[in-house]
Amino acid sequence: MDPVQWLDLVRVLSVKNFRQRYLRSRLGVVWALIQPLAQAAVLSFVFLKIFKVHKVPHYPLYVLSGIMSWQFFQQSVVGGTSAVVDNSGLVRKVAVPKITFPLSVVGGVLLVFVLQLVVLVAGAGVTGTLVTTTPLLLALSVVVELALAVGFSVLLCSLHVSFRDIRFLVESTFVMAFYLTPVIYDPSRLPPTYRSVMRWNPMDGVLSLERAALLARSVDWAAVGVSGAAALLLLAVGIPVFRRRAGDFADQV
């Protein structure tokens, strides 16, 4: 299969995964907006009305951007981890590069995230927090997060075929990692020591870029550098490991 055909196959399967996500749902893709909006509304009510946290400007948009970005990352990695096993019938019968399966999962979730970004940009337009560099910063945040999602998905997927406990470990890790990632709080308000440690979280730099684009905040370039380096390292390790193990997948699934 030549590269053009392969990329087209990834595109087709990504769209298929996108459509299957909301198959037979009356509201369809609207759920991609309802779920994070509802979660952001609840969190905004709790922190603004109950705990009286007013130190983060435009907090509803701040937390919504964090939730949508986090969901893209989480759903991509969790779904990508089990992509080969979930498509065991195709893996055994169809002669396509096995990396197609985790990539198409990430691609399907990416389509949902792109729709969510439209809502985020519209919200930033209403609040008047868009800046001239918004398109560049937003594009950079998506590229870095996409690279992270692909790197994690490919690496974990290659391991999950042999070690089925990997998926449960990934799901459990994401539950804890949510609170260690500045999704619902402002990392700049943490003590310096904690802030320095949090910069090693790959999603920290992604969220910094996204919020700089949508909320006219300053970019933490140190965190962005960590995120970019982590993405490159994961791709450099994950893709070769996947290719080396892919020949045995048909026998293992």
Side-chain angles (χ1 to χ4, degrees), residues 27-243:
L27 294 179
V29 74
V30 176
W31 282 113
L33 305 178
I34 292 177
Q35 291 171 328
L37 283 170
Q39 191 174 358
V42 171
L43 288 170
S44 296
F45 174 78
V46 170
F47 285 99
L48 295 177
K49 299 300 182 181
I50 298 178
F51 292 109
K52 306 295 183 181
V53 177
H54 295 282
K55 295 182 179 181
V56 180
H58 309 292
Y59 184 75
L61 182 60
Y62 180 92
V63 72
L64 181 62
S65 64
I67 288 171
M68 287 183 169
S69 189
W70 179 259
Q71 287 183 346
F72 166 52
F73 182 57
Q74 180 180 18
Q75 291 171 6
S76 295
V77 175
V78 172
T81 296
S82 60
V84 168
V85 174
D86 291 343
N87 292 277
S88 57
L90 291 176
V91 170
R92 287 193 295 263
K93 298 176 183 178
V94 182
V96 297
K98 305 304 184 288
I99 201 171
T100 302
F101 299 107
L103 291 184
S104 63
V105 170
V106 177
V109 182
L110 177 62
L111 293 176
V112 176
F113 186 50
V114 169
L115 293 177
Q116 294 175 337
L117 285 177
V118 174
V119 175
L120 290 175
V121 171
V126 171
T127 58
T129 53
L130 293 176
V131 294
T132 55
T133 55
T134 288
L136 180 61
L137 292 173
L138 201 57
L140 182 57
S141 73
V142 173
V143 168
V144 174
E145 185 168 11
L146 179 61
L148 284 169
V150 170
F152 271 116
S153 297
V154 170
L155 178 60
L156 294 171
C157 184
S158 67
L159 300 176
H160 179 254
V161 174
S162 301
F163 309 101
R164 301 300 170 88
D165 290 338
I166 292 290
R167 176 167 184 167
F168 301 107
L169 177 62
V170 170
E171 291 174 342
S172 300
T173 300
F174 267 108
V175 173
M176 296 180 288
F178 176 83
Y179 299 100
L180 298 175
T181 304
V183 176
I184 59 177
Y185 55 85
D186 187 349
S188 66
R189 302 185 185 281
L190 295 175
T193 301
Y194 293 161
R195 181 71 193 105
S196 298
V197 172
M198 182 165 287
R199 286 193 177 96
W200 291 97
N201 182 333
M203 281 297 292
D204 186 28
V206 171
L207 293 177
S208 177
L209 283 169
E210 186 175 331
R211 285 160 173 165
L214 299 172
L215 294 166
R217 297 166 62 92
S218 59
V219 179
D220 187 338
W221 290 109
V224 173
V226 171
S227 299
L232 292 175
L233 178 61
L234 284 165
L235 291 173
V237 173
I239 292 176
V241 169
F242 190 98
R243 287 177 174 172

